[in-house]
Every structure is written in structure tokens, then in C-alpha cells.
Amino acid sequence: MRIVDSAPALAEALERPRSGTAIGLVPTMGSLHDGHLSLIRMAAAECSNVVASVFVNPTQFGEAQDIDRYPRQLDRDADLAATAGADLIFAPTVDCMYPDGFETWVEVTDTGRGLEGDARPGHFRGVATVCLKLFNIVAPDIVYFGWKDAQQTAVIHRMIRDLDLALTLRLGATVREPDGLAMSSRNTQLSTEERERASLLPRALTAGVAAYTAGDDPSDAALAVLATDNGIEVDYVQQMTAHDHRLLCAAVRIGTTRLIDNVILEEPA
Ligand code: PAF
């Protein structure tokens, strides 16, 4: 697997394959799991060239501590990405993405407000900015994101429309562990006891769906399940609409690890 770490090296690597072929981009922060790999497989099924980017983007982390703890394992990621069908890893340096004097930001105002936008001020500004840069550098025809970060996908969708970006957004379903926990790079930060606790999050969301179907408040139902374990601190449980789907979204803290997840309450008619 070839790994390139600068924009010129990427342009050179993509030059030959580019003509007449579709380029797919799967943006990641590395520490790849089956959720990422399912996106890479989706991309490989419809693009002749698949780039997986690996960049732990400093501008989307509020807490310095969180970025320091973020797992990094590039060689392992490159092997996994190759097995799933990626052709190239773009792993730029921080200097490449944020050269000295960097001062241009993308702010998706309304869609980036509420839920994660409120809980992590500046987070979506960092996400939108780095994604626009990745889109400009890689020049993909199709970009792949996971439903698990539903608000992020809504922010990216808004940016693509508002800034007339000539690319298609595809969404991949959330991939879950056998006990329902959504795959996330942050799951590795949980202790054994915390990992057990974490399965309450998908259970709470499933209870929310059942309540919604019965005509009851899904947030109340999910909160009632989460309240059964005082080792779980709830950030929010809230409904939102993304891509015309009604979702129930939640963010919780277990120890020092913050987890988010969502389920579909209603699909578009
Ligand atoms: O979802 C992520 O891993 C990140 O937010 C992304 C899209 C790679 C931007 O840094």
C-alpha cells in the first residue's frame, strides 16, 4: 500500500489513474475499524481509485487531552485499508493541512448548531474546513461518510450544496459490535467495565425507537434506560432531522470517554 503525506505527492500518485475513472475518498482520522472498512468497500465497489485519508485533525478537537489520547496506528491502518480495497492512503502532516499563517475557515451555521455543535464549540468548523481541504486536494467524484456521525454528514451535505462542490456524498450504515455498540475509534479507550456499560447506549436508543413507534416520547424512553446506570453521564438525547430522516441522537460520557450514536425513528415517506 502506498502512503503519501503531501498534496504534491498525492497529485503525482493520482495523475495516471485519474483519466476516465472515478475517484472515491473516505476521510478518516485513522484507527480504522469495520465502520471505516465498510465505507472503503462501498467506495471500491463503485470507484476505480479509492483514497482513504488518515489525518487526526487538530482543529476539530476542543479538549487538547482528547486529541492526545486519539489512537494512531498508520501502518496497521494502511494494511486494513488495502485489504478493504483502498488504493492509496493520504496521510498529510499538520503543516501540510495548516501551513503557517492559516486563517480561512468554513462555518456551516445552522446545521452545525445544536447537539454536537453545542456540545463541542468549533468542532464542525474544524470538520468542514478540513473536509473542504481534503476534497480540494484529492478531487474525488464521490465521498463516503458514516451515518453514525449523522450531524457531521448533514454539515458536509450542506457545505457541498452551498459551495457548489462537484461531488456526490454517499452514506454508509452504522456498523455495530454484537452487543449493539456502534463501532468507534474511541471504543478502545474504554476499560473492560466501561465497555460493558457502553452497551446501554444502543439499548437506550432502541427503547427510544419502540417508544416512538408506540406514540411516546423517544428521548424520555432512552433517558430512562440510561438513568439505570449512574456510571453513564448523559450529554444529550435529542431528535434531529438529517437527509430527510428523523433520528434519535445521543451523546454520553463513560469515564473520560465520550460516545455518540443515533438511530432512525422515521425514514422519508
Ligand atoms: O469523522 C471523522 O473521522 C472526521 O470528523 C473527519 C470526517 C475525517 C474529518 O476530520
Side-chain angles (χ1 to χ4, degrees), residues 145-247:
F145 287 81
W147 263 112
K148 184 187 152 262
D149 299 302
Q151 193 180 8
Q152 168 170 280
T153 66
V155 164
I156 299 298
H157 188 227
R158 192 70 251 172
M159 176 180 77
I160 290 172
R161 296 191 57 179
D162 289 353
L163 300 183
D164 306 297
L165 305 183
L167 48 85
T168 303
L169 170 66
R170 291 249 203 285
L171 303 179
T174 301
V175 179
R176 297 181 180 279
E177 301 283 0
D179 68 349
L181 182 67
M183 297 236 174
S184 161
S185 309
R186 289 193 169 85
N187 293 352
T188 57
Q189 298 170 0
L190 299 166
S191 68
T192 313
E193 191 194 320
E194 290 170 344
R195 173 62 190 80
E196 265 170 40
R197 272 211 156 114
S199 66
L200 211 55
L201 176 56
R203 280 180 15 225
L205 289 172
T206 304
V209 176
Y212 186 79
T213 310
D216 296 327
D217 187 316
S219 303
D220 287 350
L223 283 167
V225 172
L226 293 170
T228 61
D229 187 334
N230 60 13
I232 296 187
E233 192 191 318
V234 177
D235 230 342
Y236 61 76
V237 176
Q238 250 176 274
Q239 294 186 50
M240 78 167 283
T241 300
H243 315 283
D244 299 325
H245 289 65
R246 184 125 210 93
L247 306 174

Side-chain angles (χ1 to χ4, degrees), residues 27-29 36 55 57 60 70 123 127 130-131 145 149 152:
T28 82
M29 296 205 298
H36 299 115
F55 180 63
N57 176 32
Q60 70 187 75
Y70 207 85
H123 171 67
V127 168
V130 84
C131 285
F145 287 81
D149 299 302
Q152 168 170 280

